[in-house]
């Protein structure tokens, strides 16, 4: 029976892992929230590992407030870089395989084809930069790791685009949604399931992997699909990024190529609209 530590357990991915863990009798989980385990506290991490022989650590802990990070650079750096440094070093010392969650925002969005893991990274936001630096900490401090770059995460848990859009429907007669940022909406539960499959299959093809749902969409497409699948009639107008200024720049194109993870880790990835329907069925 593998023993697995999940950090940042109250986030979307952490909560999806928790739900799936209850159906899984071959894996033993320890879920710790940021209040229970602060990954920027090296001593606290060490004490957590001393008391348990973890086979895997799934690091869901991160500073993810993309716009806020532009003004709160120090905190974003401490969580996404220093915290990952401490965690990866301790994982190596205790022979724990680290599964670290990263982002499509490590790319600048200037590509005209889906990004491969080998493409040049060039983040255009503080958030993206700190996540890239965190990836480098993992690579520098341990050899047994999976870095999973994912995109546009949503679920029935926490705060995300799907829940925000549904809440806005009750407050506004018309919505204006950006249509010139292209990526792939990704159901956090699909990511959680694949992470557990990697563990159960004892896969040791360590490295960096892209993982999002299949397909391509703009935020406008995403919003339309939410209302269509919920059978809600509302007026949605497409707008440009320039019409909706934000503190942090976003990549205009951040579709991820999943060829590597499908071949090396032998995973099956659902199409984004199919997964969105499953999620919406769980949201009132």
């Amino acid at each position: 029976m593998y023993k697995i530590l999940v950090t940042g357990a109250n986030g979307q991915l952490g909560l999806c892992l928790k739900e799936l863990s209850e159906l899984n009798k071959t894996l033993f989980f320890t879920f710790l929230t940021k209040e229970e385990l602060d990954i920027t506290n090296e001593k606290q991490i060490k004490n957590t590992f001393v008391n348990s022989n973890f086979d895997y650590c799934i690091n869901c802990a991160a500073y993810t407030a993309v716009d806020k990070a532009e003004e709160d650079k120090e905190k974003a750096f401490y969580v996404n870089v220093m915290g990952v440094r401490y965690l990866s070093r301790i994982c190596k010392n205790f022979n724990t395989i680290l599964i670290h969650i990263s982002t499509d925002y490590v790319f600048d969005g200037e590509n005209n084809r889906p990004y491969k893991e080998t493409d040049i990274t060039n983040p255009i936001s503080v958030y993206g930069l700190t996540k890239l630096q965190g990836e480098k900490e993992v690579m520098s401090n341990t050899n047994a790791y999976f870095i999973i770059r994912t995109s546009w995460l949503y679920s029935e848990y926490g705060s995300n685009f799907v829940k925000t859009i549904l809440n806005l429907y009750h407050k506004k007669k018309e919505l204006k949604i950006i249509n010139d940022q292209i990526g792939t909406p990704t159901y956090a539960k699909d990511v959680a399931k694949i992470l557990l499959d990697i563990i159960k299959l004892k896969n040791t093809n360590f490295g960096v992997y892209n993982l999002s749902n299949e397909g391509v969409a703009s935020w406008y497409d995403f919003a339309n699909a939410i209302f269509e699948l919920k059978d809600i009639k509302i007026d949605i107008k497409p707008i440009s990024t320039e019409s909706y200024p934000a503190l942090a720049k976003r990549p205009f194109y951040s579709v991820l190529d999943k060829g590597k993870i499908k071949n090396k880790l032998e995973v099956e990835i659902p199409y984004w609209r199919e997964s969105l329907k499953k999620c919406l069925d769980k949201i009132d």
Side-chain angles (χ1 to χ4, degrees):
M1 183 178 284
Y2 285 133
K3 294 176 74 175
I4 302 161
L5 170 65
V6 178
T7 63
N10 267 357
Q12 290 189 83
L13 186 53
L15 290 169
C16 288
L17 285 163
K18 195 165 193 176
E19 181 186 326
L20 294 179
S21 74
E22 292 163 7
L23 309 171
N24 217 301
K25 305 303 178 189
T26 59
L27 305 173
F28 180 79
F29 290 83
T30 298
F31 290 93
L32 296 179
T33 66
K34 64 182 178 183
E35 289 77 23
E36 294 165 325
L37 176 60
D38 176 3
I39 66 167
T40 66
N41 186 325
E42 190 173 12
K43 186 177 179 183
Q44 199 177 2
I45 302 172
K46 207 171 283 183
N47 290 340
T48 301
F49 275 71
V50 163
N51 296 327
S52 300
N53 294 315
F54 296 115
D55 298 291
Y56 287 84
C57 171
I58 303 177
N59 181 34
C60 301
Y63 187 106
T64 58
V66 178
D67 288 316
K68 198 175 174 187
E70 297 295 313
E71 299 177 322
D72 199 2
K73 296 177 185 177
E74 190 173 323
K75 187 172 182 183
F77 176 82
Y78 267 104
V79 177
N80 292 344
V81 185
M82 297 306 296
V84 177
R85 176 183 296 178
Y86 300 146
L87 193 60
S88 54
R89 284 178 179 174
I90 291 167
C91 280
K92 182 175 175 61
N93 291 341
F94 285 86
N95 295 314
T96 301
I97 296 170
L98 176 59
I99 300 177
H100 175 66
I101 309 303
S102 192
T103 174
D104 57 327
Y105 280 28
V106 299
F107 298 114
D108 59 17
E110 297 296 322
N111 247 11
N112 56 8
R113 56 159 178 78
Y115 280 95
K116 295 185 177 183
E117 292 82 353
T118 51
D119 283 330
I120 294 169
T121 51
N122 185 33
I124 55 176
S125 65
V126 170
Y127 167 70
L129 177 61
T130 59
K131 290 299 287 182
L132 178 60
Q133 290 172 321
E135 289 186 7
K136 291 177 179 177
E137 292 293 339
V138 172
M139 295 180 212
S140 299
N141 291 301
T142 182
N143 298 317
Y145 67 84
F146 296 95
I147 292 171
I148 306 294
R149 291 174 178 160
T150 190
S151 70
W152 297 22
L153 274 189
Y154 69 89
S155 69
E156 55 269 37
Y157 302 113
S159 176
N160 56 68
F161 184 79
V162 172
K163 294 176 80 174
T164 298
I165 285 292
L166 289 172
N167 285 335
L168 286 173
Y169 159 68
H170 296 293
K171 299 173 184 175
K172 298 191 174 186
K173 293 180 180 178
E174 176 188 281
L175 295 180
K176 295 178 180 178
I177 308 292
I178 290 170
N179 75 331
D180 59 357
Q181 290 176 25
I182 308 298
T184 306
T186 303
Y187 189 21
K189 202 170 289 180
D190 289 338
V191 175
K193 181 182 181 300
I194 287 170
L195 297 184
L196 298 187
D197 286 344
I198 291 168
I199 294 171
K200 286 185 285 185
L201 293 171
K202 304 178 184 179
N203 206 302
T204 55
N205 285 308
F206 301 132
V208 180
Y209 291 91
N210 294 334
L211 174 56
S212 64
N213 279 123
E214 295 283 21
V216 176
S218 67
W219 293 109
Y220 174 75
D221 298 329
F222 192 6
N224 267 309
I226 292 166
F227 292 123
E228 180 189 321
L229 291 168
K230 272 290 191 183
D231 197 23
I232 293 171
K233 305 297 181 189
I234 186 170
D235 188 17
I236 310 179
K237 293 197 177 337
I239 60 168
S240 67
T241 298
E242 286 183 357
S243 304
Y244 189 81
L247 282 173
K249 289 183 180 178
R250 267 78 167 172
F252 279 107
Y253 183 91
S254 62
V255 178
L256 300 173
D257 184 306
K258 274 82 67 177
K260 181 180 176 184
I261 199 166
K262 288 190 281 190
N263 293 331
K264 284 204 168 188
L265 303 188
E266 299 177 4
V267 302
E268 292 184 12
I269 302 174
Y271 182 65
W272 73 268
R273 283 181 64 99
E274 295 167 10
S275 295
L276 177 60
K277 186 176 188 313
K278 290 179 183 176
C279 177
L280 291 173
D281 286 344
K282 296 178 178 292
I283 298 174
D284 293 331

